[in-house]
Amino acid sequence: GLPAAGLEGHSRLGEAGGLAPEAGAALVLREFEFRDADIWFVRFALDPALQILAVGNKYGKLYAWNVDGSPSAPLVKNAGHAKCSAAIRQTAFSPDRRYLLCCCEDGSIWKWALDYT
């Protein structure tokens, strides 16, 4: 299968719904699949509104999803620039959600303008 970035909860969720994992156990709430992420670490980012999750892969490509999983397909898939080919190790959104920063393994930092229309 493909690697997945998972949002995991370690606390009691929805007591009425009975979603309470055992002590020390993790409950997978959602999985987001993306390609070429078989590297030893990668950090994802959530936008300030906690609506969009972004992550990069080992070839310098970006992926982004709605956190609620709707639609299930990525909002952004394999986005990148020809000169950005190193692994993206970390992503971060600007406080106003207008930009996404990517820090790459080769020391480069990329700034992407976002359009939510």
Side-chain angles (χ1 to χ4, degrees):
L2 300 173
L7 298 179
E8 299 180 345
H10 297 280
S11 60
R12 189 174 290 269
L13 299 173
E15 290 183 24
L19 296 176
E22 295 179 23
L27 175 66
V28 176
L29 300 176
R30 183 109 45 240
E31 290 185 356
F32 300 95
E33 294 184 358
F34 62 108
R35 297 190 179 279
D36 303 315
D38 51 339
I39 49 182
W40 66 281
F41 85 88
V42 63
R43 292 185 180 180
F44 65 87
L46 288 170
D47 75 320
L50 304 177
Q51 295 176 344
I52 298 174
L53 180 140
V55 69
N57 70 13
K58 69 180 180 181
Y59 296 121
K61 303 298 181 192
L62 289 170
Y63 290 77
W65 299 266
N66 278 326
V67 173
D68 69 4
S70 176
S72 61
L75 298 171
V76 175
K77 182 178 179 180
N78 280 328
H81 187 279
K83 292 184 179 181
C84 180
S85 59
I88 295 174
R89 294 297 188 167
Q90 188 163 356
T91 55
F93 286 90
S94 64
D96 62 4
R97 298 178 63 207
R98 292 179 49 212
Y99 301 100
L100 178 63
L101 297 175
C102 301
C103 301
C104 296
E105 188 173 73
D106 65 1
S108 63
I109 298 174
W110 292 83
K111 178 179 157 185
W112 303 97
L114 302 175
D115 182 6
Y116 292 98
T117 59

